[in-house]
Amino acid sequence: MKQINRRISAAKALGAMVLAGSLALSACASSDTEGGGAKGDSTLVFGNWGGVIASFDPHKDGRTDSNLVLFPVYDRLIHQDPDGTLIPGLATEWEFTDDTTFTMKVREGVTFQDGTPLDAEAVKANIERAKSIDGGKGPHSGTLAPVESVEAKDGLTVVFHLSRPASALPILLSEQPGAMISPKAFDTDLNQHPVGAGAYTLTSYTPGSEAVFTAYDGYWDKESVGPKTIKVLMQADQERRIDAFQTGQLDATFGHTAALAKADRLGLKIEPQVAPGYFHLLLNRSRKPFDNVQVRQAMSYAINRQGLIDTLLEGKAEENQQPFRQTSEEFNDDLGTAVYAYDPAKARELLAEAGFGKGLSFTCVVSGGGGGFVSQFAELIQDNFKEVGIDMKIKLVDVPSNEMLAEKSADCGVMPYGTLSSEVAATQLFSENGYQNPGGTSTPELEALVAKVNTPLEGAEREAAYDELTEYVMDEALFINLFYHQWSVLSSDRVKGLKWYNGGQYTEFRGVEIK
């Protein structure tokens, strides 16, 4: 069977909590280390940017910033190399036998952490659950919508029957839709006792504080198991995370552009994100006034993106407003980077035409952490909007994606986003069932454009399909991008092998060693 290895670059997420108590407890554990891997009693202490995850059930979460704590427990059918190349995981090989049939071989002899065999029936049950959970409104129902049925052809062979071509399916199965839960645990409280087939079991979890993992002796790939214990401490404030290295309380963390100069002065190892992700202004387009295209266009013209980049990011970000990065083949060269160039007069004109000549007001959820830089650039956007008569009130929250995407209680959010696949991005951002489209707004024309880019196309034909989609999206101002930016994984000299994973927009602990 032909193994599919695709090398695709892409673009990731914030929260807010306090580190102090957890750091004090972790400092001693971090020093009790011998050798690498799980053979000794090594402990890795990682400072995460996130706070409270939506769920320890990967079929219910949907937020890429949760991957760091979900994937140690829940192994995926397909893995990724740090550069985004797809490699075997719980599945050893896979192929499209035709445009609407995808066949996969499951690794022999693997069991879940509760002893349940991981076979074709278990994979079938997981995919069906991810599609149908929460009445078919779960975070992965949109991206898995082309999967019409799943067949356990024999004990280790799984056949996905598709209603239409879905070229991004292998990539999806390397992310949360491909995370495997023990079928025996489906109806249990996975927040209390998650049961997967991963390299680690969850020892303890305090929401907003820390998650502690212990290496699982029965994991199928023993050579890749890293430290015996991993402590993930939740701290959204980037400055506090960097400062914690100076007292030996952290071994590794994430750092944004603004942190790299200080990280370099401290002598930390820096593994940068190669393909940039982005922050965008996500709107629930089903609610007023965001259902009005002229309002969305006015908001796009009102933002001084380059001023924001120069003021807060030392100029180290890209102004590109398209949903696909400038160096990718999906980028629309005819539109260029500044589709909505900064133009306050044009913004005021559009607002007047839309019936908001006297202004409008709304509230936007913003992360209160991240070392303050997220709330700072939200304040600059707030000032830009004020110039044209838009009153954007800022509501600081722990995790904006909870309010925008999980609870759908907010109308506007300053949000990070990134995924390995442009096809996945198109589906999540713009299709009716896309997780990043909280209002579920779409049109038949837009659905057809999204379906077209998910069809196996190559060369000029593929570029033309993306150009058409991007032109529609930008004309309708369905996507208000702020900037493309970069994160890095920062680590002390005690840590070996910890890298940024470009596909999943996070880091994995596979093969990591502690001195």
Side-chain angles (χ1 to χ4, degrees):
M1 183 182 294
K2 178 184 176 183
Q3 177 177 315
I4 298 178
N5 282 336
R6 288 187 68 185
R7 184 182 300 266
I8 304 176
S9 297
K12 192 169 191 211
L14 300 157
M17 291 292 156
V18 180
L19 191 61
S22 297
L23 282 175
L25 291 172
S26 303
C28 295
S30 180
S31 63
D32 183 20
T33 60
E34 284 184 17
K39 296 183 176 65
D41 292 327
S42 55
T43 297
L44 172 71
V45 183
F46 191 95
N48 194 24
W49 53 30
V52 181
I53 66 171
S55 174
F56 250 106
D57 184 338
H59 297 164
K60 290 186 176 182
D61 190 289
R63 297 166 51 242
T64 51
D65 44 313
S66 297
N67 291 346
L68 184 88
V69 293
L70 289 175
F71 289 171
V73 176
Y74 300 107
D75 208 356
R76 289 102 66 216
L77 292 169
I78 298 173
H79 287 178
Q80 301 172 11
D81 267 345
D83 65 3
T85 301
L86 300 185
I87 59 176
L90 294 173
T92 57
E93 44 189 319
W94 54 91
E95 67 172 343
F96 284 100
T97 53
D98 58 50
D99 284 352
T100 57
T101 308
F102 181 73
T103 303
M104 170 177 282
K105 280 287 187 183
V106 180
R107 188 175 297 276
E108 187 173 4
V110 177
T111 61
F112 290 97
Q113 293 160 356
D114 62 1
T116 303
L118 197 156
D119 54 15
E121 288 290 349
V123 173
K124 169 181 163 68
N126 269 269
I127 301 300
E128 290 175 343
R129 182 178 185 268
K131 276 179 57 70
S132 62
I133 203 164
D134 294 336
K137 299 294 184 181
H140 309 304
S141 60
T143 47
L144 288 174
V147 180
E148 198 165 59
S149 64
V150 184
E151 174 191 358
K153 189 172 183 180
D154 59 42
L156 297 175
T157 305
V158 184
V159 182
F160 294 73
H161 299 284
L162 311 179
S163 59
R164 59 175 173 80
S167 57
L169 185 57
I171 299 166
L172 280 176
L173 298 179
S174 73
E175 298 179 350
Q176 286 183 26
M180 295 290 102
I181 306 168
S182 171
K184 284 187 177 179
F186 280 176
D187 298 324
T188 65
D189 186 352
L190 294 174
N191 285 318
Q192 294 295 321
H193 185 55
V195 185
Y200 290 84
T201 58
L202 182 68
T203 305
S204 65
Y205 173 55
T206 305
S209 178
E210 71 172 23
V212 181
F213 303 90
T214 301
Y216 171 52
D217 290 338
Y219 187 56
W220 62 269
D221 185 10
K222 295 185 185 301
E223 291 301 313
S224 72
V225 179
K228 181 177 180 180
T229 304
I230 297 173
K231 289 190 177 185
V232 177
L233 306 179
M234 316 298 183
Q235 172 53 267
D237 192 310
Q238 179 167 264
E239 285 297 316
R240 293 188 181 185
R241 293 200 310 270
I242 303 301
D243 287 343
F245 281 99
Q246 298 181 75
T247 52
Q249 295 172 308
L250 279 186
D251 297 315
T253 191
F254 293 120
H256 193 267
T257 301
L260 298 189
K262 187 172 184 178
D264 188 56
R265 288 198 303 271
L266 293 176
L268 301 180
K269 287 187 287 186
I270 301 173
E271 285 286 346
Q273 173 187 16
V274 176
Y278 49 73
F279 271 92
H280 63 138
L281 196 67
L282 181 63
L283 308 176
N284 187 325
R285 300 187 299 272
S286 69
R287 300 177 185 173
K288 295 183 181 301
F290 307 131
D291 60 341
N292 188 311
V293 62
Q294 289 178 310
V295 170
R296 300 193 300 267
Q297 290 171 339
M299 294 171 69
S300 297
Y301 279 118
I303 300 173
N304 183 356
R305 294 167 177 82
Q306 192 59 52
L308 187 157
I309 292 168
D310 292 341
T311 302
L312 293 176
L313 298 173
E314 302 175 0
K316 297 175 181 176
E318 300 173 15
E319 189 186 349
N320 175 25
Q321 297 174 29
Q322 294 190 33
F324 309 108
R325 58 193 177 86
Q326 189 174 357
T327 55
S328 71
E329 62 182 15
E330 294 86 9
F331 180 80
N332 188 315
D333 293 317
D334 293 334
L335 293 179
T337 57
V339 183
Y340 291 93
Y342 178 50
D343 191 341
K346 182 67 173 178
R348 284 189 288 268
E349 178 185 329
L350 285 165
L351 286 173
E353 291 176 4
F356 294 97
K358 294 183 179 180
L360 60 86
S361 178
F362 59 87
T363 299
C364 202
V365 293
V366 177
S367 169
F373 76 88
V374 184
S375 57
Q376 287 172 359
F377 66 65
E379 289 170 1
L380 288 181
I381 295 169
Q382 184 183 53
D383 291 341
N384 290 163
F385 283 164
K386 187 176 181 180
E387 288 183 34
V388 302
I390 298 175
D391 177 22
M392 184 182 84
K393 296 177 173 61
I394 295 174
K395 179 183 177 183
L396 297 180
V397 299
D398 288 341
V399 187
S401 55
N402 281 350
E403 281 81 353
M404 277 300 298
L405 305 178
E407 301 168 5
K408 299 182 180 180
S409 58
D411 297 339
C412 167
V414 177
M415 307 280 292
Y417 182 70
T419 180
L420 176 63
S421 163
S422 299
E423 292 92 337
V424 172
T427 302
Q428 290 187 336
L429 289 165
F430 309 123
S431 72
E432 182 178 5
N433 295 318
Y435 188 54
Q436 294 278 332
N437 180 6
T441 57
S442 187
T443 64
E445 182 181 358
L446 181 56
E447 290 299 311
L449 291 172
V450 172
K452 189 173 182 179
V453 300
N454 275 279
T455 302
L457 300 172
E458 294 183 0
E461 196 175 8
R462 185 173 187 272
E463 289 184 25
Y466 272 99
D467 284 351
E468 194 176 2
L469 171 64
T470 301
E471 186 173 354
Y472 182 99
V473 165
M474 300 310 295
D475 281 349
E476 294 292 316
L478 303 180
F479 181 77
I480 303 179
N481 201 14
L482 302 177
F483 54 79
Y484 279 77
H485 66 122
Q486 288 189 308
W487 288 91
S488 296
V489 171
L490 313 177
S491 60
S492 71
D493 59 5
R494 298 180 60 249
V495 182
K496 179 181 178 182
L498 195 62
K499 295 182 178 295
W500 180 274
Y501 276 66
N502 286 314
Q505 297 298 298
Y506 63 106
T507 188
E508 291 199 33
F509 302 111
R510 307 181 68 83
V512 173
E513 296 181 9
I514 304 293
K515 288 184 181 177

